[in-house]
Amino acid sequence: MDKNSNPHVLKKIPLSLRHHMTIPWATFIKSENIPAKNASLQERASIVGRIGILMLSCGTGAWRVRDAMNKVARKLDLTCSADIGLISLEYTCFSNNQSYSQVLSLPNTGVNTDKLNILEHFVNNIQDDFSSLTIGQIHHTINDIQNRPKQYTPIISGLAALACSAFIFLLGGGIPEMICSFIGAGIGNYVRSILGKHAITTIVGVAISVATACITYMFAFRIFEFYFHILAQHEAGYIGAMLFVIPGFPFITSMLDISKLDMRSGLERLAYAIMITLIATLVGWLVASLVHFRPANFLPLGLSSITLMLLRIPASFCGVFGFSIMFNSSKKMAAVAGCIGAIANTLRLELVDLTTIPPAAAAFFAALVAGLIASMVNRYNGYPRISLTVPSIVIMVPGLYIYRAVYSIGNNQIGIGALWMTKAALIIMFLPLGLFVARAILDKDWRHFD
């Protein structure tokens, strides 16, 4: 068992109480003064496995984890075969008619694009790093990466709820909905960050944070209604307060893994994403039933087509930037993802408004554009594609459709719920398909198997 998902939390938990035990990586260091290439099979294999489980802890998919493990293994004169899931991997390294196997797992999953970026640069530079470093020096470097703290405090993570405020505008909401969504999502995401620091289990964290966000939206809305006499129809924006829990990374990476026949990882990620979505929507439905909120249509904004398009560009940028901050991207990386999302998402919305293209097809073309731009950016500055593409298209995930489906089914309107769920499923399937096509066009390694 590894502690990569949150080492700072686990240090506070007594060893006797840990359900997932920590691997003593230092015990693998036997050769202190010889280059890593000349170390024992066990020592070299431990490096390969540790890189793999640390990559997995960042939330990336099986294809990227296996690619990183293979790069490290080749430089250490090893042959590696790995089976990768959502929070665990099994691998075997071969060398000189010998083999060494390990099974590694994580206590939880999450997303950390900053750490992923650093890891990718480390792996891509192994030709220079591994030529003279010892096993101990490599483990020391990995320790620094593993123990790298998150860039943002819970308060900053809460302010990243700007993404939800922008999201609600893109769905058709106005200023009252945007303000209340920002307040609700901000406090909800702050609560989720605090719960994560205390290692509260995922389902409990999602349920409490979503309930907090919805209740906060209700109080903010009632204050606006009492003091500013806003119309009751503005209550429809409460869906925006819970959108910070959208499992964009596992949704997208699950489909990409399935497309590369990494079925175990893909299906596990899909099951995880569905679980998070169901918990969030069911809690949202329960709170809405208690306070008599309903997901009605938004009031018309009364904006011209040109004005709406011009406002969608900065709204899309802010939405993607906020989600990137939630994924712990650096500010520069978040800004790059925001620019990509501003182009791709505005294109999607304009295609839906100005043409007869179905929303699912528009989502495909938008994701394709996002993938192509991200691939070009990757060649320029080396940012991981997944760190740019997922934030830029997570704003396209139809959270409103999914919630309306669950809300309708919960109220025994099965036909309406099935219709909303079908619309959502089509869009969710076409988003990663667009990224897959973009990657296949520009990356020969992706479009082949070997």
Side-chain angles (χ1 to χ4, degrees):
M1 174 52 239
D2 194 39
K3 63 178 182 179
N4 292 324
S5 66
N6 202 333
H8 302 287
V9 169
L10 293 179
K11 287 177 181 177
K12 301 176 183 178
I13 301 175
L15 289 172
S16 61
L17 299 180
R18 294 184 189 176
H19 184 66
H20 294 271
M21 300 178 70
T22 302
I23 293 178
W25 292 107
T27 62
F28 288 90
I29 304 173
K30 306 296 183 184
S31 307
E32 293 286 352
N33 301 315
I34 64 174
K37 282 188 175 182
N38 299 328
S40 67
L41 170 60
Q42 183 184 29
E43 291 175 291
R44 288 178 288 156
S46 70
I47 296 294
V48 176
R50 195 174 183 192
I51 289 291
I53 198 67
L54 193 54
M55 290 281 291
L56 193 62
S57 73
C58 296
T60 192
W63 190 90
R64 190 174 296 273
V65 173
R66 183 178 290 106
D67 182 59
M69 294 176 71
N70 288 342
K71 287 180 179 178
V72 175
R74 291 188 182 101
K75 296 305 177 183
L76 293 175
D77 296 328
L78 297 173
T79 300
C80 180
S81 178
D83 184 26
I84 302 166
L86 172 66
I87 60 170
S88 64
L89 63 86
E90 297 88 45
Y91 76 101
T92 300
C93 286
F94 303 86
S95 178
N96 298 325
N97 299 321
Q98 293 181 316
S99 65
Y100 180 78
S101 300
Q102 278 190 335
V103 178
L104 306 173
S105 65
L106 299 164
N108 198 4
T109 186
V111 179
N112 192 326
T113 52
D114 174 61
K115 189 180 293 186
L116 177 62
N117 182 44
I118 295 173
L119 272 171
E120 288 221 339
H121 282 292
F122 175 71
V123 171
N124 291 333
N125 293 327
I126 57 176
Q127 178 65 53
D128 299 327
D129 294 342
F130 283 21
S131 59
S132 59
L133 293 181
T134 66
I135 292 292
Q137 290 171 325
I138 295 173
H139 274 294
H140 181 73
T141 302
I142 298 176
N143 284 339
D144 292 339
I145 299 174
Q146 176 178 318
N147 296 323
R148 181 180 173 87
K150 286 195 172 184
Q151 297 197 78
Y152 308 106
T153 64
I155 293 178
I156 298 299
S157 296
L159 293 176
L162 172 69
C164 297
S165 183
F167 207 146
I168 210 67
F169 170 77
L170 295 169
L171 291 173
I175 292 178
E177 293 96 328
M178 293 172 65
I179 295 174
C180 293
S181 293
F182 175 77
I183 297 172
I187 295 178
N189 199 37
Y190 173 80
V191 169
R192 184 175 66 159
S193 298
I194 294 297
L195 294 174
K197 278 182 170 291
H198 290 83
I200 301 299
T201 191
T202 300
I203 291 181
V204 175
V206 170
I208 292 176
S209 59
V210 168
T212 302
C214 292
I215 293 172
T216 303
Y217 183 97
M218 180 198 69
F219 282 113
F221 175 75
R222 296 305 182 198
I223 292 172
F224 271 79
E225 189 179 33
F226 181 79
Y227 287 102
F228 300 98
H229 307 291
I230 63 174
L231 298 176
Q233 289 90 329
H234 289 294
E235 71 181 27
Y238 78 94
I239 178 63
M242 68 177 77
L243 292 178
F244 63 92
V245 299
I246 288 179
F249 250 85
F251 258 135
I252 302 304
T253 55
S254 70
M255 298 299 180
L256 293 176
D257 280 345
I258 290 173
S259 70
K260 295 294 291 183
L261 300 185
D262 276 309
M263 291 297 178
R264 176 191 167 192
S265 175
L267 294 176
E268 287 182 12
R269 289 175 183 279
L270 182 60
Y272 173 80
I274 292 174
M275 178 189 73
I276 297 299
T277 303
L278 284 177
I279 294 298
T281 51
L282 288 173
V283 171
W285 168 72
L286 180 61
V287 173
S289 299
L290 293 176
V291 301
H292 306 293
F293 275 4
R294 59 188 181 89
N297 293 327
F298 294 106
L299 294 175
L301 295 177
L303 300 174
S304 66
S305 298
I306 297 296
T307 302
L308 188 59
M309 182 193 70
L310 294 176
L311 290 175
R312 281 171 171 171
I313 295 173
S316 297
F317 174 88
C318 291
V320 175
F321 185 88
F323 276 114
S324 295
I325 296 300
M326 293 183 198
F327 296 149
N328 199 44
S329 296
S330 65
K331 295 182 181 66
K332 186 176 180 181
M333 190 189 303
V336 173
C339 292
I340 296 174
I343 297 171
N345 191 53
T346 303
L347 172 65
R348 176 183 69 92
L349 295 172
E350 294 302 310
L351 285 175
V352 172
D353 286 352
L354 302 179
T355 70
T356 58
I357 292 178
F364 167 79
F365 287 116
L368 176 62
V369 169
L372 293 173
I373 297 175
S375 293
M376 291 185 285
V377 172
N378 171 263
R379 294 180 181 181
Y380 173 72
N381 60 19
Y383 286 151
R385 292 182 184 87
I386 198 76
S387 301
L388 300 176
T389 54
V390 172
S392 65
I393 69 172
V394 72
I395 200 170
M396 307 178 196
V397 174
L400 176 61
Y401 289 9
I402 298 171
Y403 177 73
R404 284 190 169 183
V406 172
Y407 182 90
S408 299
I409 293 172
N411 290 319
N412 295 322
Q413 298 173 317
I414 308 301
I416 297 175
L419 178 61
W420 283 113
M421 190 63 75
T422 301
K423 291 180 178 180
L426 284 172
I427 294 175
I428 290 173
M429 287 189 292
F430 271 104
L431 286 173
L433 183 59
L435 296 184
F436 177 89
V437 173
R439 190 76 180 269
I441 291 172
L442 296 179
D443 189 343
K444 65 179 181 179
D445 293 331
W446 180 265
R447 62 176 176 261
H448 293 95
F449 71 91
D450 55 29

